[in-house]
Amino acid sequence: MKTIFSTSRTSSAATAAQPGKNAMTEEIAPADTTSAPPRLDVSHLAKTYGMGDKARTVIEDLTFTVDAGEVVCIVGPSGVGKTTLLKCLAGLHPSSSGRAAIDGRTISGPPPEMALVFQDYNRSLMPWLTVRKNLMLPLRHLHLSAAELKERCDDALAAVGLSHAEHQYPWQLSGGMQQRVAIARALAYRPEILIMDEPFASVDAQTRFDLEDLCLKIRRDFNMTILVVTHDIDEAVYLADRVVVLGSKPARVLRIVDVDLPAPRDQITTRSLPEFARQRTDVLSLIKRPA
Amino acid sequence: MNRKLLLWLLGAGTPVLLLLLWWATSLQSTDTFFPPLKDILQSFQQLWLFAHFQSDVLVSLGNLLLGYAMASAVGVALGFVIALVLVARNVLEPLIHFLRSIPPVALVPIFISLVGFGTEMRVFSIALAALFPTLIATVDGIRSVDSGLKDVARVYRFTTVEKVTQVYLPSAAPQIFSGLQVSLQVAFVVMIASEMLGPSQGIGAMTLLAQQSFMISDMWAGILLLGVIGFAANIVFSLIRRRVLAWYIGSRRLARSS
Ligand SMILES: Nc1ncnc2c1ncn2[C@@H]1O[C@H](COP(=O)(O)OP(=O)(O)OP(=O)(O)O)[C@@H](O)[C@H]1O
Ligand SMILES: [Mg+2]
């Protein structure tokens, strides 16, 4: 677990840009953030499942943005529609109205610069492939060299602490390990935008801390934009630059909380700051209080 | 003592024991319909291993393999198309369910009228009859691919070829193999049935001929050979399945034990 996600910034910036070309623009104009469109722009998004009398509006009107290199957490009660939102952002479901856009382009199918870590990890790994082959599968059509392929898989497996399990099958692993394989697969893909749906729900407390720090580290190293859904309010405050608090039903944004905690964050010192306690109380009271 | 070994010995030993028993009790037999096993084995050797090996045994097996291979390839490919292409499903599915409810052996006369009595008739009969189990199992298998895996394939932007070969095919493989196994049994039955009509060539034809001409030990030898072939085919099939579906068998075993 201590292994560092160890590719140097320079070699990886080029490869992180593999699926799309957008990392380039980011690097050229980092200062000009005010005029650039937000990386991820969700405006008045609505989602209704089904039609006619079976229609069910899960999301009514969601608006928020995520800037490049930002970590945003989404918290909200179970069943509010968080997974539904992420699936809309990943282009898996069409939205019913409003729009979601990446760099100003409306999302209409899975965007090339995005990877998604699914909530049901046990239904997202190929049971007929070993852990390592699961990681390699999405990389096939990127036409990487054998050396780069190996490096990416090695790094990603080491980062989630699963180097020893590379030749095992997912069904031979515990739930928490499967979840980490799913995270490693996304890391090896080196997306520019990483979206994770309750990614640390089944891992033990120590591993959870490590994975949270890994998340902050890849943001730093790769300038990745990260959107995380979580049930854990402490985790949201610890990870995020901003926390989007959702209320039900149907889902809407209760408030977007800016988290002003100093960087770099540290599991012990950051969590013991009075500021940390205040922020988490803010978020918690939003969720607890029926608005 | 190793329990597994004991069970295996019991499984392999019982048939051997039965054969020995048959051998011993039939040794003095004068009943025309139940000749001594000794005579049957003699006929077996003469008939199948020498006189008719090339002219009949190989011909039958060739028809079986060719027909079965055609059924498997077409069954899997067509199954994919029906499961994934909406138009194909609507057009073909009712037709397929109608055709498959006809007993396979009853299809043989249709082929005789279409292509006559030759080898083609036999191969096509085998292929058509063996098609349906594989086809239907493939359609079921493809339709029940987990939506979670399909989402993964979409998010990571798999190409169509990757979706088919890396997601759908392996995912449906357990069901496809069940279909292939039934198809194999059907192919075997139709192989014999198809030889009961037309020119007398093949194991089934020879066995029937022997029975009609009261060469009872030849008839028994034919039945024995059919048994051996069927048994061997099943073993080969199981070995392949166990290899290809090792992940599935392993995960099922684990799920059962926990
Ligand atoms: N494909 C679907 N068709 C119809 N309804 C759906 C579908 N997917 C989800 N829903 C409904 O939408 C609502 C929101 O589900 P969703 O999975 O997005 O919630 P969630 O916020 O992710 O919950 P959790 O925190 O428990 O994961 C639920 O009531 C669910 O029943
Ligand atoms: Mg969810």
Side-chain angles (χ1 to χ4, degrees):
Chain A
M1 198 51 114
K2 286 281 157 278
T3 330
I4 286 159
F5 194 53
S6 67
T7 329
S8 66
R9 178 79 178 86
T10 41
S11 82
S12 54
T15 48
Q18 180 76 37
K21 305 183 280 299
N22 301 287
M24 290 298 289
T25 42
E26 234 89 69
E27 297 233 297
I28 293 163
D32 195 22
T33 43
T34 41
S35 65
R39 199 77 231 257
L40 198 61
D41 184 4
V42 180
S43 63
H44 305 294
L45 189 84
K47 175 69 190 173
T48 303
Y49 282 119
M51 278 191 253
D53 13 311
K54 286 208 199 100
R56 242 189 109 220
T57 300
V58 177
I59 298 173
E60 190 156 67
D61 183 359
L62 281 188
T63 301
F64 65 92
T65 60
V66 183
D67 291 328
E70 202 178 20
V71 177
V72 170
C73 285
I74 298 176
V75 297
S78 181
V80 73
K82 302 182 296 293
T83 299
T84 303
L85 167 66
L86 295 195
K87 286 193 171 170
C88 289
L89 295 183
L92 292 174
H93 290 327
S95 52
S96 308
S97 73
R99 81 172 198 148
I102 291 182
D103 301 323
R105 285 177 291 114
T106 301
I107 296 169
S108 57
E113 55 272 81
M114 184 189 284
L116 175 62
V117 175
F118 291 87
Q119 182 174 13
D120 356 349
Y121 49 88
N122 52 355
R123 287 176 52 211
S124 90
L125 297 170
M126 312 292 161
W128 54 88
L129 295 179
T130 60
V131 166
R132 189 179 194 86
K133 288 191 173 148
N134 261 292
L135 261 62
M136 297 204 315
L137 190 55
L139 308 180
R140 281 167 62 105
H141 56 263
L142 299 184
H143 303 297
L144 307 171
S145 69
E148 160 127 45
L149 203 63
K150 180 174 165 10
E151 184 197 288
R152 282 197 189 193
C153 293
D154 289 346
D155 285 355
L157 283 172
V160 299
L162 282 180
S163 302
H164 62 281
E166 60 173 340
H167 297 305
Q168 284 185 281
Y169 287 92
W171 40 269
Q172 295 174 309
L173 306 177
S174 71
M177 289 166 89
Q178 291 177 31
Q179 206 161 26
R180 282 186 280 154
V181 175
I183 295 170
R185 177 173 62 189
L187 294 181
Y189 192 66
R190 305 244 170 114
E192 295 170 29
I193 302 172
L194 175 62
I195 298 188
M196 299 196 276
D197 197 351
E198 300 190 24
F200 314 139
S202 304
V203 301
D204 61 279
Q206 179 56 43
T207 308
R208 191 174 185 128
F209 286 158
D210 290 338
L211 290 174
E212 286 167 10
D213 287 334
L214 173 70
C215 183
L216 294 175
K217 180 170 165 40
I218 55 171
R219 184 265 295 266
R220 239 180 298 131
D221 289 354
F222 297 91
N223 193 32
M224 223 180 253
T225 306
I226 300 176
L227 184 63
V228 184
V229 162
T230 174
H231 269 143
D232 183 338
I233 289 158
D234 287 47
E235 176 171 278
V237 173
Y238 178 74
L239 281 179
D241 299 312
R242 286 185 297 146
V243 178
V244 177
V245 184
L246 296 185
S248 54
K249 293 188 167 180
R252 66 218 146 77
V253 177
L254 285 184
R255 192 187 302 164
I256 297 175
V257 179
D258 285 304
V259 181
D260 318 302
L261 293 171
R265 296 186 186 173
D266 176 88
Q267 292 289 358
I268 295 169
T269 55
T270 303
R271 282 177 194 265
S272 56
L273 291 174
E275 187 62 11
F276 183 88
R278 201 184 56 71
Q279 299 264 12
R280 74 174 287 278
T281 311
D282 271 6
V283 176
L284 189 59
S285 55
L286 277 171
I287 288 186
K288 280 279 176 225
R289 186 186 319 128
Chain B
M1 170 86 180
N2 192 333
R3 206 182 133 81
K4 229 167 126 183
L5 186 71
L6 194 73
L7 283 176
W8 189 87
L9 277 178
L10 223 56
T14 311
V16 173
L17 210 68
L18 284 176
L19 276 179
L20 286 178
L21 206 67
W22 184 8
W23 179 283
T25 50
S26 67
L27 210 53
Q28 307 299 329
S29 170
T30 48
D31 191 325
T32 11
F33 289 101
F34 298 99
L37 181 56
K38 190 158 146 271
D39 297 356
I40 296 174
L41 289 181
Q42 240 156 32
S43 307
F44 187 92
Q45 201 180 14
Q46 273 168 16
L47 210 58
W48 301 126
L49 303 186
F50 300 104
H52 292 273
F53 184 70
Q54 212 161 2
S55 63
D56 294 283
V57 178
L58 283 188
V59 167
S60 283
L61 289 182
N63 289 351
L64 177 71
L65 281 183
L66 196 61
Y68 181 58
M70 283 166 57
S72 307
V74 174
V76 172
L78 197 60
F80 257 90
V81 174
I82 291 174
L84 297 176
V85 183
L86 197 65
V87 181
R89 179 190 309 179
N90 290 334
V91 173
L92 292 177
E93 206 164 32
L95 185 68
I96 282 165
H97 282 290
F98 175 72
L99 284 178
R100 76 140 172 183
S101 15
I102 303 171
V105 179
L107 297 171
V108 175
I110 304 176
F111 277 97
I112 293 175
S113 54
L114 284 178
V115 291
F117 279 104
T119 308
E120 295 91 340
M121 175 276 278
R122 289 179 179 166
V123 173
F124 279 127
S125 305
I126 294 170
L128 185 74
L131 173 69
F132 296 107
T134 299
L135 175 62
I136 287 156
T138 305
V139 173
D140 278 350
I142 301 292
R143 277 198 200 145
S144 50
V145 173
D146 196 312
S147 65
L149 299 184
K150 288 193 234 175
D151 281 349
V152 169
R154 287 183 62 201
V155 161
Y156 289 106
R157 300 163 61 86
F158 287 15
T159 61
T160 307
V161 174
E162 281 173 339
K163 279 181 189 162
V164 168
T165 62
Q166 307 294 321
V167 181
Y168 285 99
L169 198 57
S171 206
Q175 267 153 297
I176 293 177
F177 263 91
S178 310
L180 285 173
Q181 187 150 28
V182 178
S183 283
L184 182 61
Q185 286 151 9
V186 171
F188 194 56
V189 170
V190 176
M191 173 196 93
I192 298 162
S194 73
E195 290 173 356
M196 308 241 156
L197 298 162
S200 306
Q201 198 183 31
I203 307 167
M206 287 296 114
T207 307
L208 193 70
L209 198 68
Q211 189 236 335
Q212 283 162 352
S213 42
F214 288 97
M215 320 262 290
I216 299 303
S217 61
D218 284 6
M219 176 198 82
W220 277 102
I223 294 172
L224 207 60
L225 179 69
L226 290 173
V228 168
I229 291 174
F231 188 66
N234 240 318
I235 287 183
V236 171
F237 188 91
S238 298
L239 286 177
I240 295 173
R241 178 181 180 276
R242 211 184 299 172
R243 216 186 143 71
V244 176
L245 293 185
W247 63 271
Y248 178 73
I249 297 165
S251 68
R252 288 291 297 271
R253 191 182 303 134
L254 202 69
R256 270 200 308 274
S257 70
S258 60

mmCIF file of all heavy atoms in Angstrom, chain B residues 152-180:
data_model
loop_
_atom_site.group_PDB
_atom_site.id
_atom_site.type_symbol
_atom_site.label_atom_id
_atom_site.label_comp_id
_atom_site.label_asym_id
_atom_site.label_seq_id
_atom_site.Cartn_x
_atom_site.Cartn_y
_atom_site.Cartn_z
ATOM 1 N N VAL B 152 -19.692 -1.510 -18.080
ATOM 2 C CA VAL B 152 -18.227 -1.399 -18.075
ATOM 3 C C VAL B 152 -17.713 -1.320 -19.510
ATOM 4 O O VAL B 152 -16.883 -0.472 -19.848
ATOM 5 C CB VAL B 152 -17.586 -2.600 -17.348
ATOM 6 C CG1 VAL B 152 -16.086 -2.625 -17.575
ATOM 7 C CG2 VAL B 152 -17.894 -2.535 -15.862
ATOM 8 N N ALA B 153 -18.237 -2.184 -20.370
ATOM 9 C CA ALA B 153 -17.791 -2.197 -21.763
ATOM 10 C C ALA B 153 -18.073 -0.857 -22.436
ATOM 11 O O ALA B 153 -17.281 -0.378 -23.240
ATOM 12 C CB ALA B 153 -18.484 -3.330 -22.524
ATOM 13 N N ARG B 154 -19.173 -0.236 -22.068
ATOM 14 C CA ARG B 154 -19.497 1.050 -22.698
ATOM 15 C C ARG B 154 -18.633 2.168 -22.139
ATOM 16 O O ARG B 154 -18.106 2.995 -22.890
ATOM 17 C CB ARG B 154 -20.975 1.369 -22.476
ATOM 18 C CG ARG B 154 -21.897 0.503 -23.330
ATOM 19 C CD ARG B 154 -23.341 0.884 -23.148
ATOM 20 N NE ARG B 154 -23.584 2.256 -23.578
ATOM 21 C CZ ARG B 154 -24.631 2.977 -23.181
ATOM 22 N NH1 ARG B 154 -25.503 2.465 -22.344
ATOM 23 N NH2 ARG B 154 -24.790 4.206 -23.610
ATOM 24 N N VAL B 155 -18.490 2.202 -20.810
ATOM 25 C CA VAL B 155 -17.706 3.276 -20.206
ATOM 26 C C VAL B 155 -16.266 3.268 -20.726
ATOM 27 O O VAL B 155 -15.697 4.309 -21.024
ATOM 28 C CB VAL B 155 -17.716 3.150 -18.663
ATOM 29 C CG1 VAL B 155 -16.574 3.940 -18.056
ATOM 30 C CG2 VAL B 155 -19.034 3.649 -18.112
ATOM 31 N N TYR B 156 -15.702 2.090 -20.843
ATOM 32 C CA TYR B 156 -14.318 2.009 -21.329
ATOM 33 C C TYR B 156 -14.264 1.908 -22.852
ATOM 34 O O TYR B 156 -13.233 1.569 -23.407
ATOM 35 C CB TYR B 156 -13.595 0.851 -20.649
ATOM 36 C CG TYR B 156 -13.310 1.133 -19.200
ATOM 37 C CD1 TYR B 156 -14.035 0.524 -18.187
ATOM 38 C CD2 TYR B 156 -12.324 2.052 -18.836
ATOM 39 C CE1 TYR B 156 -13.796 0.803 -16.848
ATOM 40 C CE2 TYR B 156 -12.076 2.337 -17.508
ATOM 41 C CZ TYR B 156 -12.812 1.712 -16.520
ATOM 42 O OH TYR B 156 -12.564 2.000 -15.206
ATOM 43 N N ARG B 157 -15.382 2.166 -23.472
ATOM 44 C CA ARG B 157 -15.450 2.322 -24.922
ATOM 45 C C ARG B 157 -14.863 1.149 -25.693
ATOM 46 O O ARG B 157 -14.052 1.316 -26.601
ATOM 47 C CB ARG B 157 -14.756 3.626 -25.324
ATOM 48 C CG ARG B 157 -15.419 4.833 -24.680
ATOM 49 C CD ARG B 157 -14.544 6.050 -24.721
ATOM 50 N NE ARG B 157 -14.226 6.449 -26.071
ATOM 51 C CZ ARG B 157 -14.987 7.239 -26.809
ATOM 52 N NH1 ARG B 157 -16.101 7.699 -26.335
ATOM 53 N NH2 ARG B 157 -14.619 7.561 -28.017
ATOM 54 N N PHE B 158 -15.281 -0.047 -25.316
ATOM 55 C CA PHE B 158 -14.870 -1.232 -26.057
ATOM 56 C C PHE B 158 -15.399 -1.124 -27.485
ATOM 57 O O PHE B 158 -16.501 -0.615 -27.700
ATOM 58 C CB PHE B 158 -15.456 -2.507 -25.427
ATOM 59 C CG PHE B 158 -14.813 -2.896 -24.128
ATOM 60 C CD1 PHE B 158 -14.007 -2.014 -23.422
ATOM 61 C CD2 PHE B 158 -14.997 -4.171 -23.607
ATOM 62 C CE1 PHE B 158 -13.425 -2.380 -22.221
ATOM 63 C CE2 PHE B 158 -14.417 -4.549 -22.409
ATOM 64 C CZ PHE B 158 -13.640 -3.650 -21.716
ATOM 65 N N THR B 159 -14.621 -1.632 -28.434
ATOM 66 C CA THR B 159 -15.121 -1.693 -29.796
ATOM 67 C C THR B 159 -16.168 -2.813 -29.876
ATOM 68 O O THR B 159 -16.275 -3.631 -28.964
ATOM 69 C CB THR B 159 -13.988 -2.019 -30.770
ATOM 70 O OG1 THR B 159 -13.453 -3.297 -30.413
ATOM 71 C CG2 THR B 159 -12.878 -0.986 -30.686
ATOM 72 N N THR B 160 -16.911 -2.821 -30.974
ATOM 73 C CA THR B 160 -17.941 -3.856 -31.123
ATOM 74 C C THR B 160 -17.323 -5.249 -31.063
ATOM 75 O O THR B 160 -17.858 -6.151 -30.416
ATOM 76 C CB THR B 160 -18.680 -3.676 -32.467
ATOM 77 O OG1 THR B 160 -19.148 -2.331 -32.524
ATOM 78 C CG2 THR B 160 -19.841 -4.626 -32.578
ATOM 79 N N VAL B 161 -16.193 -5.409 -31.733
ATOM 80 C CA VAL B 161 -15.524 -6.713 -31.718
ATOM 81 C C VAL B 161 -15.126 -7.082 -30.293
ATOM 82 O O VAL B 161 -15.309 -8.227 -29.860
ATOM 83 C CB VAL B 161 -14.283 -6.687 -32.641
ATOM 84 C CG1 VAL B 161 -13.503 -7.993 -32.509
ATOM 85 C CG2 VAL B 161 -14.702 -6.456 -34.074
ATOM 86 N N GLU B 162 -14.618 -6.114 -29.541
ATOM 87 C CA GLU B 162 -14.248 -6.398 -28.149
ATOM 88 C C GLU B 162 -15.466 -6.757 -27.310
ATOM 89 O O GLU B 162 -15.406 -7.658 -26.474
ATOM 90 C CB GLU B 162 -13.548 -5.181 -27.535
ATOM 91 C CG GLU B 162 -12.094 -5.053 -27.945
ATOM 92 C CD GLU B 162 -11.460 -3.764 -27.467
ATOM 93 O OE1 GLU B 162 -12.193 -2.795 -27.171
ATOM 94 O OE2 GLU B 162 -10.228 -3.715 -27.387
ATOM 95 N N LYS B 163 -16.558 -6.037 -27.544
ATOM 96 C CA LYS B 163 -17.762 -6.364 -26.786
ATOM 97 C C LYS B 163 -18.169 -7.809 -27.057
ATOM 98 O O LYS B 163 -18.495 -8.556 -26.127
ATOM 99 C CB LYS B 163 -18.907 -5.430 -27.182
ATOM 100 C CG LYS B 163 -18.837 -4.090 -26.493
ATOM 101 C CD LYS B 163 -20.007 -3.207 -26.898
ATOM 102 C CE LYS B 163 -19.804 -1.803 -26.371
ATOM 103 N NZ LYS B 163 -20.638 -0.809 -27.055
ATOM 104 N N VAL B 164 -18.149 -8.203 -28.323
ATOM 105 C CA VAL B 164 -18.585 -9.556 -28.673
ATOM 106 C C VAL B 164 -17.617 -10.601 -28.130
ATOM 107 O O VAL B 164 -18.023 -11.550 -27.461
ATOM 108 C CB VAL B 164 -18.729 -9.694 -30.207
ATOM 109 C CG1 VAL B 164 -18.901 -11.152 -30.597
ATOM 110 C CG2 VAL B 164 -19.909 -8.874 -30.696
ATOM 111 N N THR B 165 -16.335 -10.412 -28.389
ATOM 112 C CA THR B 165 -15.383 -11.485 -28.038
ATOM 113 C C THR B 165 -14.926 -11.429 -26.582
ATOM 114 O O THR B 165 -14.589 -12.461 -26.022
ATOM 115 C CB THR B 165 -14.131 -11.428 -28.932
ATOM 116 O OG1 THR B 165 -13.468 -10.178 -28.709
ATOM 117 C CG2 THR B 165 -14.480 -11.569 -30.395
ATOM 118 N N GLN B 166 -14.930 -10.237 -25.973
ATOM 119 C CA GLN B 166 -14.385 -10.127 -24.627
ATOM 120 C C GLN B 166 -15.446 -10.049 -23.543
ATOM 121 O O GLN B 166 -15.139 -10.205 -22.368
ATOM 122 C CB GLN B 166 -13.488 -8.883 -24.503
ATOM 123 C CG GLN B 166 -12.408 -8.784 -25.548
ATOM 124 C CD GLN B 166 -11.389 -9.888 -25.410
ATOM 125 O OE1 GLN B 166 -11.013 -10.266 -24.300
ATOM 126 N NE2 GLN B 166 -10.948 -10.436 -26.524
ATOM 127 N N VAL B 167 -16.677 -9.754 -23.931
ATOM 128 C CA VAL B 167 -17.716 -9.632 -22.906
ATOM 129 C C VAL B 167 -18.844 -10.641 -23.146
ATOM 130 O O VAL B 167 -19.087 -11.514 -22.312
ATOM 131 C CB VAL B 167 -18.295 -8.198 -22.864
ATOM 132 C CG1 VAL B 167 -19.356 -8.092 -21.774
ATOM 133 C CG2 VAL B 167 -17.186 -7.192 -22.606
ATOM 134 N N TYR B 168 -19.483 -10.549 -24.308
ATOM 135 C CA TYR B 168 -20.654 -11.388 -24.530
ATOM 136 C C TYR B 168 -20.299 -12.876 -24.612
ATOM 137 O O TYR B 168 -20.932 -13.707 -23.962
ATOM 138 C CB TYR B 168 -21.379 -10.964 -25.810
ATOM 139 C CG TYR B 168 -22.162 -9.688 -25.636
ATOM 140 C CD1 TYR B 168 -21.660 -8.475 -26.062
ATOM 141 C CD2 TYR B 168 -23.408 -9.708 -25.019
ATOM 142 C CE1 TYR B 168 -22.384 -7.295 -25.884
ATOM 143 C CE2 TYR B 168 -24.137 -8.546 -24.851
ATOM 144 C CZ TYR B 168 -23.614 -7.344 -25.286
ATOM 145 O OH TYR B 168 -24.333 -6.198 -25.100
ATOM 146 N N LEU B 169 -19.301 -13.187 -25.415
ATOM 147 C CA LEU B 169 -18.988 -14.602 -25.624
ATOM 148 C C LEU B 169 -18.554 -15.302 -24.331
ATOM 149 O O LEU B 169 -19.131 -16.324 -23.964
ATOM 150 C CB LEU B 169 -17.930 -14.736 -26.728
ATOM 151 C CG LEU B 169 -17.800 -16.119 -27.350
ATOM 152 C CD1 LEU B 169 -19.125 -16.588 -27.928
ATOM 153 C CD2 LEU B 169 -16.734 -16.110 -28.449
ATOM 154 N N PRO B 170 -17.571 -14.768 -23.604
ATOM 155 C CA PRO B 170 -17.195 -15.446 -22.360
ATOM 156 C C PRO B 170 -18.320 -15.464 -21.337
ATOM 157 O O PRO B 170 -18.499 -16.430 -20.606
ATOM 158 C CB PRO B 170 -16.009 -14.634 -21.831
ATOM 159 C CG PRO B 170 -15.814 -13.496 -22.730
ATOM 160 C CD PRO B 170 -16.688 -13.633 -23.919
ATOM 161 N N SER B 171 -19.097 -14.384 -21.304
ATOM 162 C CA SER B 171 -20.167 -14.295 -20.337
ATOM 163 C C SER B 171 -21.233 -15.353 -20.602
ATOM 164 O O SER B 171 -21.789 -15.936 -19.677
ATOM 165 C CB SER B 171 -20.780 -12.898 -20.450
ATOM 166 O OG SER B 171 -21.356 -12.527 -19.262
ATOM 167 N N ALA B 172 -21.515 -15.590 -21.876
ATOM 168 C CA ALA B 172 -22.558 -16.553 -22.243
ATOM 169 C C ALA B 172 -22.000 -17.963 -22.355
ATOM 170 O O ALA B 172 -22.762 -18.912 -22.559
ATOM 171 C CB ALA B 172 -23.210 -16.133 -23.561
ATOM 172 N N ALA B 173 -20.693 -18.111 -22.237
ATOM 173 C CA ALA B 173 -20.062 -19.414 -22.481
ATOM 174 C C ALA B 173 -20.656 -20.566 -21.658
ATOM 175 O O ALA B 173 -20.869 -21.649 -22.211
ATOM 176 C CB ALA B 173 -18.557 -19.318 -22.260
ATOM 177 N N PRO B 174 -20.941 -20.376 -20.367
ATOM 178 C CA PRO B 174 -21.528 -21.503 -19.635
ATOM 179 C C PRO B 174 -22.815 -22.010 -20.257
ATOM 180 O O PRO B 174 -23.011 -23.215 -20.407
ATOM 181 C CB PRO B 174 -21.774 -20.913 -18.240
ATOM 182 C CG PRO B 174 -20.768 -19.831 -18.108
ATOM 183 C CD PRO B 174 -20.634 -19.238 -19.485
ATOM 184 N N GLN B 175 -23.691 -21.087 -20.653
ATOM 185 C CA GLN B 175 -24.944 -21.518 -21.278
ATOM 186 C C GLN B 175 -24.711 -22.100 -22.665
ATOM 187 O O GLN B 175 -25.334 -23.082 -23.042
ATOM 188 C CB GLN B 175 -25.919 -20.343 -21.344
ATOM 189 C CG GLN B 175 -26.828 -20.306 -20.136
ATOM 190 C CD GLN B 175 -27.308 -18.914 -19.842
ATOM 191 O OE1 GLN B 175 -26.515 -18.030 -19.528
ATOM 192 N NE2 GLN B 175 -28.598 -18.707 -19.939
ATOM 193 N N ILE B 176 -23.803 -21.487 -23.411
ATOM 194 C CA ILE B 176 -23.515 -22.005 -24.751
ATOM 195 C C ILE B 176 -23.022 -23.454 -24.658
ATOM 196 O O ILE B 176 -23.420 -24.318 -25.432
ATOM 197 C CB ILE B 176 -22.473 -21.119 -25.463
ATOM 198 C CG1 ILE B 176 -23.069 -19.736 -25.752
ATOM 199 C CG2 ILE B 176 -22.023 -21.771 -26.774
ATOM 200 C CD1 ILE B 176 -22.115 -18.756 -26.393
ATOM 201 N N PHE B 177 -22.183 -23.722 -23.661
ATOM 202 C CA PHE B 177 -21.669 -25.082 -23.515
ATOM 203 C C PHE B 177 -22.770 -26.074 -23.166
ATOM 204 O O PHE B 177 -22.752 -27.213 -23.646
ATOM 205 C CB PHE B 177 -20.555 -25.127 -22.465
ATOM 206 C CG PHE B 177 -19.194 -25.057 -23.077
ATOM 207 C CD1 PHE B 177 -18.563 -23.848 -23.273
ATOM 208 C CD2 PHE B 177 -18.552 -26.212 -23.507
ATOM 209 C CE1 PHE B 177 -17.317 -23.773 -23.867
ATOM 210 C CE2 PHE B 177 -17.303 -26.154 -24.096
ATOM 211 C CZ PHE B 177 -16.677 -24.934 -24.275
ATOM 212 N N SER B 178 -23.727 -25.648 -22.338
ATOM 213 C CA SER B 178 -24.848 -26.556 -22.057
ATOM 214 C C SER B 178 -25.585 -26.881 -23.341
ATOM 215 O O SER B 178 -25.961 -28.028 -23.583
ATOM 216 C CB SER B 178 -25.830 -25.920 -21.081
ATOM 217 O OG SER B 178 -25.147 -25.427 -19.965
ATOM 218 N N GLY B 179 -25.785 -25.865 -24.172
ATOM 219 C CA GLY B 179 -26.454 -26.077 -25.453
ATOM 220 C C GLY B 179 -25.660 -27.013 -26.342
ATOM 221 O O GLY B 179 -26.215 -27.924 -26.960
ATOM 222 N N LEU B 180 -24.361 -26.797 -26.393
ATOM 223 C CA LEU B 180 -23.507 -27.627 -27.244
ATOM 224 C C LEU B 180 -23.557 -29.089 -26.808
ATOM 225 O O LEU B 180 -23.486 -30.001 -27.635
ATOM 226 C CB LEU B 180 -22.060 -27.122 -27.186
ATOM 227 C CG LEU B 180 -21.760 -25.839 -27.962
ATOM 228 C CD1 LEU B 180 -20.345 -25.366 -27.685
ATOM 229 C CD2 LEU B 180 -21.952 -26.066 -29.461
#
